[in-house]
Amino acid sequence: MTRRATLRTTHDDPDIVAAALGPDNTESMHTTIEGDELVTTIERDSTGGLQSTVDDYVVNVTVAQTVIAATRTHTTTNHE
């Protein structure tokens, strides 16, 4: 039986976050953008595999959002 999790995260620029996550996504992941939300569905054959993939995805979202925020801060600080 397939296990499935759908994660919804809200971002100022979900297109940028989706692009940052793209290289790390696997065939078991499908991401769409709905307004300001990034919606990712993950399907795995085992609960353990699903948990590992969800954990990795959450870390990747956090890193992407942190890098995007740092880039904006750096860009804003250097151009004012």
Side-chain angles (χ1 to χ4, degrees):
M1 178 162 61
T2 302
R3 276 72 169 167
R4 178 181 302 152
T6 300
L7 297 96
R8 292 179 172 270
T9 54
T10 304
H11 306 276
D12 291 336
D13 290 308
D15 293 327
I16 295 172
V17 178
L21 296 174
D24 289 323
N25 286 354
T26 66
E27 291 181 12
S28 66
M29 304 166 82
H30 176 71
T31 300
T32 59
I33 297 169
E34 298 177 8
D36 63 351
E37 287 187 329
L38 200 58
V39 181
T40 300
T41 301
I42 302 168
E43 293 184 354
R44 296 293 305 268
D45 292 333
S46 69
T47 302
L50 180 62
Q51 180 180 0
S52 293
T53 304
V54 168
D55 287 347
D56 289 346
Y57 180 81
V58 169
V59 169
N60 290 344
V61 168
T62 302
V63 170
Q65 194 63 47
T66 301
V67 170
I68 291 165
T71 301
R72 286 189 178 136
T73 300
H74 178 72
T75 301
T76 302
T77 302
N78 286 335
H79 291 296
E80 290 184 326

